[in-house]
Amino acid sequence: MPNTLHASKTFDTPSTSVPPLAETIYESPLGPIFLHASDNALLELHFLDGVCLQPSDSSDAPLHPILAETFCWLDEYFSGRQPDFAPPFQLDLTPFNRRVLEIASQVPFGETMTYGEIADLIAAERGLHKMSAQAVGSAMRKNPICLVIPCHRIIGAGGRLGGYNGNPLRKRQLLAHEGVDVSALV
């Protein structure tokens, strides 16, 4: 699978804790998305479920360069295309969680992979007989950069939709947006 992210740039762990410099809301067709960035990396991107926001003019991209780049990425994604770039981001995760998200990042736009397939890949890499698909699901829940790290493309065995940070309907909507036939997913 082709890697759609720039791994050398995106999976760096911050060496020191840098306070965030900017926050904003991106108004997507599927609801508001919260963005949080330091001066050199995106730190958080997630949907705001159940949050009422004041109407705002979302046509203006933010001045912060990381947030502006993320707006461009989101504009392209929601226009129906997989962006050929990723905003730089930082992850502060365990090696296992990082590896799970690296594999998820390689799942192409419009395709899916199962939690079990990722567990099997990591087990083989570590020379283990078996690994728990539930451990992979747990790592997916720690994804601080949704969409850019496409954890919504990871589904359960036998066509089970699986979770998506408490909103399986949004997971279904994202997969349908990418052209995945969701009619068989339960």
Side-chain angles (χ1 to χ4, degrees):
M1 286 179 240
N3 186 349
T4 59
L5 297 178
H6 307 287
S8 64
K9 181 168 140 176
T10 58
F11 285 100
D12 294 334
T13 301
S15 58
T16 60
S17 180
V18 177
L21 296 178
E23 296 177 344
T24 193
I25 304 294
Y26 177 89
E27 296 293 343
S28 85
L30 300 179
I33 297 174
F34 175 75
L35 306 171
H36 194 131
S38 69
D39 61 347
N40 60 0
L42 185 64
L43 302 174
E44 190 177 353
L45 185 155
H46 63 83
F47 284 95
L48 291 173
D49 289 323
V51 175
C52 294
L53 301 172
Q54 296 288 341
S56 65
D57 180 10
S58 63
S59 62
D60 294 326
L63 296 176
H64 185 282
I66 299 300
L67 296 179
E69 186 174 355
T70 305
F71 265 51
C72 291
W73 190 97
L74 289 164
D75 287 344
E76 190 163 331
Y77 175 82
F78 283 112
S79 73
R81 295 182 304 276
Q82 172 64 51
D84 61 357
F85 67 96
F89 58 85
Q90 292 179 329
L91 301 174
D92 187 16
L93 300 169
T94 67
F96 173 75
N97 292 345
R98 176 182 306 280
R99 183 63 185 131
V100 167
L101 295 181
E102 287 172 346
I103 293 169
S105 294
Q106 296 174 16
V107 179
F109 187 91
E111 295 184 26
T112 61
M113 184 176 212
T114 68
Y115 297 100
E117 289 171 327
I118 293 176
D120 291 345
L121 282 171
I122 294 174
E125 289 173 359
R126 294 181 174 192
L128 302 172
H129 175 67
K130 186 160 179 68
M131 178 170 282
S132 164
Q134 289 81 7
V136 170
S138 178
M140 289 290 170
R141 285 188 294 276
K142 293 176 177 66
N143 178 6
I145 314 284
C146 78
L147 297 177
V148 176
I149 300 174
C151 56
H152 62 279
R153 296 180 189 151
I154 311 306
I155 62 172
R160 284 189 348 271
L161 189 59
Y164 187 68
N165 290 327
N167 194 333
L169 175 59
R170 177 154 301 118
K171 183 173 187 172
R172 181 180 294 280
Q173 292 170 323
L174 289 167
L175 291 172
H177 167 74
E178 293 184 14
V180 173
D181 179 5
V182 297
S183 63
L185 295 176
V186 292

